[in-house]
Amino acid sequence: MTMHPLSPNTVLANALHHAEDVLAPRFMDGPPERIVLVVGTQINGAPHLGTSLVQSLAFAMGARLRARFDLPTDVLFSALDNAPYDLATDPTTGHRYQRAYAQALGKQALDDLVADLYEPLFTELSRRLGIPYRMQTYSQQQAGEDFRRTWLRLLPRIDAARWWLAPSTGTPHVRVPCPQPGCGWSEKHAERTQVHTSTSEAATITAVCLHHGPYEVTIAPTAGAYLDLATLYRNLVKELTLSSDRGTLHVMVKGGDWVFGSHLVDEALRSVGLTRGQLPARLFCPQIVTDTGAKLSKSLMREGHAPLPHGAVEWMLDTRRWPGSLPQYADQLLALTETLLSDARHFFRSWSAAEIGRMMTTPAPRSIPAP
């Protein structure tokens, strides 16, 4: 069996000489002053191999873009601490409630979690490739004045975007945790959460707590309650906020499973006034899949809904179990990213867990040029 990966041709790969060529049109109308590759993940437990692969590709792509366009380039990591930590059901109404990591653990424990699970690998990747990075939790992001002002300005126009953000119901979820000390629960699907715009500088939100009943909070640009937005809604606000920085090209680096969801976000952005040229640049990384073609999911396997696929091993679901040191893990990841970036055919596709594991443990040399 050859050690060179073999990848079929595709329409996109056939149009490119290099994977980074897909971003070239962004530089034609007017080069930016700098490039920021934005990559995020839910911090709901130890990272799996798919998470590490996307993160390492963000750094590797950053190095390629910096060399090609001679621009300052760095990576922004978003640690999504609004992932559910606890779930509960109201026995009276049947409504589902959640308490996120941010409310369940608190700031210090969250900072320690991110520093333990993610920062060491980022530091290794940054040192090897010379790409600076910074880390930001969702708690920090939602508390930022730019993010909150963007959300407040968006409220009068949300009707134009709501069916793109929530195609089944037309109601994009806004969650505000109960402010009672030690509580922090919020309705998962926000059935009884209502947003009331007061002025352009503030909005009030009413909701019902699992334990404390009805409550009201205020969202202001520099103060107020924790603002937790559902995934597509959060991305809309984040990308609208980033679009105001005209001198920076922000590249959204995501796993391949985001291809379909990003279509909804882009249409929501257009519905509230962005032109096609103002939409954020996106880079969809190779997806690791199981024998059935489904995304390798640590959640399904952890909950017993899916078995470990053929050829996969435990460290792929919990990278702390990698049989070696962190520097060795970073080296193997970068060898893998070099292989995937050596040919656009290798990058814009999915890979089985077994094949990725083989390339990680016995890295393949650069592929032979396609015929």
Side-chain angles (χ1 to χ4, degrees), residues 58 102-103 124 190 194 337 345:
Q103 284 71 50
E124 288 288 335
Q194 300 291 325
T337 60
R345 298 184 184 195

Side-chain angles (χ1 to χ4, degrees), residues 31 194 236 271 326:
Q194 300 291 325
L236 172 67
S271 71
L326 177 64

Side-chain angles (χ1 to χ4, degrees), residues 288-292 296 301 306-313 316 351-358:
I288 304 177
V289 299
T290 66
D291 303 340
T292 67
L296 183 69
M301 294 173 197
L308 193 68
H310 173 72
V313 289
M316 294 181 179
W351 293 87
S352 70
E355 183 67 2
I356 286 290
R358 181 185 72 80

Side-chain angles (χ1 to χ4, degrees), residues 155-179:
L155 282 181
R157 296 179 286 167
I158 196 63
D159 278 350
R162 64 190 185 97
W163 284 103
W164 291 112
L165 300 176
S168 297
T169 63
T171 305
H173 297 160
V174 177
R175 290 182 288 262
V176 285
C178 175

